[in-house]
């Protein structure tokens, strides 16, 4: 059924069953996002009344049933009330649709009766060889195909991170958050009740998807834990997986059970299983995205030697503390580090952390970053900057972007810039270019440490 998953991300044509002409309705929002995000396949609205739907001046004739569409349809997004879903699933099957994201709520999350209907629609789908995503979801995005089939935000920033969310509202909020925080996404998938397509299926797809470099999952529980862990382990050997597994506490687990019907299970079992599978477990949304920025953008380090470049002693010390706590190794070969003396006044320090001093301007950073990138014994770099009047942080961002691109992006480099509004703009500039940048030194170091943890796990797997 792999072709069906392919159709979920690269459909040649999409039907929206329950498309509406009325702004404010979900069936309108999905149409609008598809059009505005630039999906260039064919879009067929299905509306029982046969209304014309106008999106930004573009007029779409709708069909009363999917069976009336004079074309093949790969994917049908379902946005009709639950009671009509079995019938439209049957019709989609007859039409030869491959995959059905079902946005409609009102199934398994309601209890036994709902679960029965949910099983019934999966049976109908499978009878026709179709797969179901959901129900009870906000949709699916795949940025390489310019496809936004959700009722969430429109302007998802393209990038290399696939985001999978079991929670709908949180998933939509996270989509908005990634836009604000400049986290580039390859895909967003809302899995909802996971009646058919589940996290393991999606991991298998993303494992071989060239547009995805890392995967972030928000989950409350898995139905088939054993299969999930087996697949996660195989995928982790190729690409890093970050998981926020909610329901850690006893009460949290109970809340998860009533939210998505997940059996959260004993948390310690998850912790152990994730560790064995190479999965990186993040405890907060902030931590997960901090790591994801680095893991979805940077190459693996070829060795343990980290070099910290800074203009401020204070942030250098804080970054060093974080590095020590995270088990990162600060490079300390003074013969090699002496090269940085060329880029600082006599009162600077080329001992790692390399203190270029508060006088450090464009030339200092340019020279130091270039030398660190060129030295094969320096395996990873953290560039830190405290905003001063000597160097506009946006100019620093330009320098780092240029030097990193010219070096061929062969080793991991993270940035932390502490300061005001210009610092925030510089951070955004770097993140838009896929260079992970943070407003605090510890966050940059911890993200780098997550990359090291995954990379070391992989190396251990190869040895075993
Ligand atoms: N075939 C084609 N079109 C149909 C249809 C059918 N069998 N049955 C209804 N329609 C049309 C309706 O006429 C309507 O179009 P209109 O606005 O032009 O009249 C449109 O489909 C939607 O149906 P409607 O009855 O108006 O439902 P709704 O828009 O109020 O709600 C859902 C539909 C799916 C959004 C709603 O039932 C639901 O489940 N909401 C929760 C969604 C959610 O939160 N999901 C999880 C998020 S994480």
């Amino acid at each position: 059924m792999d072709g069906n998953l392919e159709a979920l991300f690269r459909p040649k044509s999409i039907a929206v069953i329950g498309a509406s002409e009325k702004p404010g309705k979900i069936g309108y929002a999905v149409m609008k996002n598809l059009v505005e995000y630039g999906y260039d396949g064919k879009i067929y609205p299905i509306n029982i009344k046969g209304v014309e739907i106008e999106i930004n001046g573009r007029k779409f004739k709708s069909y009363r049933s999917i069976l009336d569409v004079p074309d093949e349809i790969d994917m049908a997004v379902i946005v009709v009330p639950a009671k009509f879903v079995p019938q439209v699933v049957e019709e989609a099957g007859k039409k030869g649709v491959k995959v059905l994201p079902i946005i409609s709520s009102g199934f398994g999350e309601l209890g036994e009766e709902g679960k029965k209907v949910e099983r019934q629609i999966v049976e109908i789908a499978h009878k026709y060889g179709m797969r179901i995503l959901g129900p009870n979801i906000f949709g699916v995005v795949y940025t390489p195909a310019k496809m936004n089939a959700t009722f969430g935000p429109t302007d998802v920033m393209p990038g290399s991170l696939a985001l999978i969310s079991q929670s709908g509202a949180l998933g939509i909020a996270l989509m908005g958050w990634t836009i604000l925080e400049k986290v580039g996404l390859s895909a967003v998938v809302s899995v909802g009740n996971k009646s058919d397509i589940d996290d393991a299926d999606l991991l298998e797809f993303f494992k071989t998807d060239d547009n995805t470099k890392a995967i972030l999952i928000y989950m409350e529980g898995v139905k088939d834990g054993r299969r999930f862990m087996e697949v996660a382990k195989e995928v982790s050997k190729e690409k890093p997986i970050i998981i926020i597994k909610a329901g850690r506490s006893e009460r949290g687990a109970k809340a998860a059970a009533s939210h998505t019907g997940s059996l959260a299970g004993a948390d310690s079992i998850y912790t152990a299983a994730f560790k064995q599978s190479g999965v990186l477990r993040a405890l907060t949304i902030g931590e997960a995205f901090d790591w994801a920025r680095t893991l979805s953008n940077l190459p693996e380090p070829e060795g343990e030697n980290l070099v910290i470049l800074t203009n401020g002693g204070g942030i250098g010390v804080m970054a060093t503390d974080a590095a020590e706590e995270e088990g990162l190794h600060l490079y300390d070969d003074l013969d090699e580090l002496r090269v940085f003396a060329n880029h600082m006044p006599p009162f600077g320090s080329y001992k790692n952390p390399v203190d270029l001093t508060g006088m450090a301007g464009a030339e200092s950073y340019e020279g130091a970053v270039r030398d660190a990138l060129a030295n094969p014994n320096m395996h990873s770099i953290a560039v830190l900057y405290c905003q001063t009047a000597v160097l506009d942080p946006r100019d620093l961002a330009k320098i780092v972007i240029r030097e990193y691109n010219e070096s061929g992006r062969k080793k991991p480099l993270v940035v932390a810039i502490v300061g005001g509004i210009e610092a925030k703009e510089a951070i955004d500039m770097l993140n838009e270019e896929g260079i992970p940048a943070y407003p605090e030194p510890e966050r940059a170091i911890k993200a780098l440490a997550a990359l090291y943890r995954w990379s070391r796990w992989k190396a251990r797997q190869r040895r075993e």
Side-chain angles (χ1 to χ4, degrees):
M1 288 202 180
D2 273 356
N4 301 54
L5 271 247
E6 184 71 23
L8 181 63
F9 296 102
R10 293 193 196 86
K12 292 194 193 72
S13 51
I14 301 176
V16 179
I17 306 181
S20 171
E21 90 240 76
K22 299 175 193 122
K25 294 192 85 167
I26 293 185
Y28 177 86
V30 173
M31 285 292 297
K32 189 162 184 282
N33 270 346
L34 279 172
V35 173
E36 283 190 354
Y37 200 61
Y39 173 68
D40 58 11
K42 293 195 189 119
I43 306 171
Y44 294 105
I46 313 297
N47 178 288
I48 198 114
K49 301 175 201 151
V51 297
E52 188 179 74
I53 295 172
E54 190 176 332
I55 312 276
N56 301 342
R58 215 172 128 189
K59 293 196 168 96
F60 291 84
K61 157 186 164 43
S62 69
Y63 296 85
R64 288 176 199 275
S65 159
I66 195 167
L67 292 167
D68 300 337
V69 179
D71 193 3
E72 285 182 13
I73 291 178
D74 279 348
M75 172 166 124
V77 185
I78 297 183
V79 242
V80 292
K83 61 175 186 267
F84 302 124
V85 170
Q87 184 205 333
V88 299
V89 169
E90 185 82 45
E91 287 179 3
K94 287 189 183 139
K95 183 69 192 163
V97 172
K98 294 179 180 134
V99 66
L100 300 169
I102 303 181
I103 289 181
S104 322
S105 302
F107 297 91
E109 77 280 10
L110 295 186
E112 267 321 304
E113 197 49 36
K115 281 200 182 113
K116 225 168 88 190
V117 186
E118 198 172 291
R119 279 194 295 272
Q120 190 195 337
I121 57 173
V122 173
E123 264 170 39
I124 302 170
H126 285 183
K127 184 174 77 183
Y128 291 102
M130 297 187 291
R131 299 292 307 266
I132 287 179
L133 180 70
N136 192 22
I137 61 169
F138 61 84
V140 53
V141 178
Y142 190 60
T143 59
K146 293 206 174 93
M147 180 190 73
N148 183 341
T150 72
F151 62 95
T154 312
D155 302 322
V156 181
M157 186 174 121
S160 307
L161 177 70
L163 172 63
I164 300 170
S165 180
Q166 187 171 2
S167 165
L170 181 62
I172 294 176
L174 291 180
M175 266 174 90
W177 194 84
T178 59
I179 297 167
L180 186 70
E181 292 294 321
K182 314 280 181 214
V183 178
L185 300 173
S186 55
V188 183
V189 193
S190 170
V191 286
N193 295 5
K194 305 191 207 179
S195 69
D196 182 18
I197 294 173
D198 64 9
D199 309 87
D201 296 322
L202 294 167
L203 283 180
E204 275 174 344
F205 174 84
F206 290 126
K207 180 181 173 198
T208 56
D209 174 35
D210 290 341
N211 298 303
T212 298
K213 292 215 182 83
I215 303 139
L216 196 165
I217 307 179
Y218 169 86
M219 67 159 59
E220 294 178 356
V222 282
K223 283 188 177 140
D224 184 348
R226 184 180 294 268
R227 172 159 182 261
F228 176 79
M229 294 306 170
E230 276 166 15
V231 173
K233 188 167 182 182
E234 283 315 302
V235 176
S236 294
K237 289 177 190 167
E238 307 279 331
K239 295 176 185 180
I241 304 170
I242 301 162
I243 293 187
I244 311 174
K245 159 73 182 65
R248 288 201 305 278
S249 63
E250 211 176 301
R251 267 193 103 125
K254 277 188 192 143
S258 59
H259 178 206
T260 39
S262 296
L263 285 176
D267 194 66
S268 55
I269 298 176
Y270 277 99
T271 305
F274 287 154
K275 209 164 178 184
Q276 243 185 24
S277 316
V279 166
L280 302 164
R281 181 174 190 176
L283 295 186
T284 65
I285 292 167
E287 188 172 61
F289 280 101
D290 276 0
W291 298 354
R293 260 187 221 295
T294 285
L295 286 152
S296 65
N297 282 302
L298 300 186
E300 282 175 70
E302 284 182 5
E304 296 288 329
N305 298 335
L306 162 66
V307 171
I308 297 173
L309 305 174
T310 179
N311 72 332
I315 48 171
V317 176
M318 291 168 87
T320 303
D321 280 345
E324 289 272 304
E325 281 158 20
E326 294 284 332
L328 300 187
H329 170 72
L330 260 67
Y331 190 43
D332 49 18
D333 184 328
L334 289 182
D335 287 340
E336 300 242 2
L337 289 166
R338 192 165 290 122
V339 69
F340 295 117
N342 299 327
H343 310 300
M344 61 179 63
F347 51 84
S349 166
Y350 57 80
K351 279 186 202 145
N352 203 2
V354 177
D355 187 357
L356 301 168
T357 80
M359 282 172 67
E363 276 177 24
S364 283
Y365 268 100
E366 189 177 56
V369 169
R370 189 177 297 166
D371 283 348
L373 284 166
N375 188 318
N377 296 322
M378 300 179 188
H379 302 123
S380 55
I381 307 165
V383 180
L384 314 181
Y385 183 60
C386 273
Q387 184 172 1
T388 70
V390 181
L391 172 62
D392 187 316
R394 293 165 295 191
D395 291 333
L396 173 73
K398 283 183 203 151
I399 290 166
V400 173
I401 292 166
R402 192 184 59 233
E403 293 301 323
Y404 195 46
N405 285 340
E406 278 177 9
S407 76
R409 293 180 169 241
K410 293 197 182 76
K411 56 176 89 168
L413 177 147
V414 293
V415 180
I417 304 177
V418 183
I421 186 78
E422 297 85 0
K424 168 72 176 129
E425 281 175 32
I427 288 169
D428 285 350
M429 284 164 68
L430 286 155
N431 283 321
E432 274 171 14
E433 287 292 319
I435 300 177
Y438 305 85
E440 293 167 64
E442 296 88 348
R443 288 171 58 183
I445 296 295
K446 284 182 176 176
L448 190 61
L451 177 62
Y452 266 102
R453 267 205 303 289
W454 171 65
S455 184
R456 288 174 190 152
W457 178 86
K458 262 176 64 181
R460 277 201 303 279
Q461 293 299 307
R462 277 195 297 271
R463 283 197 301 272
E464 274 166 16

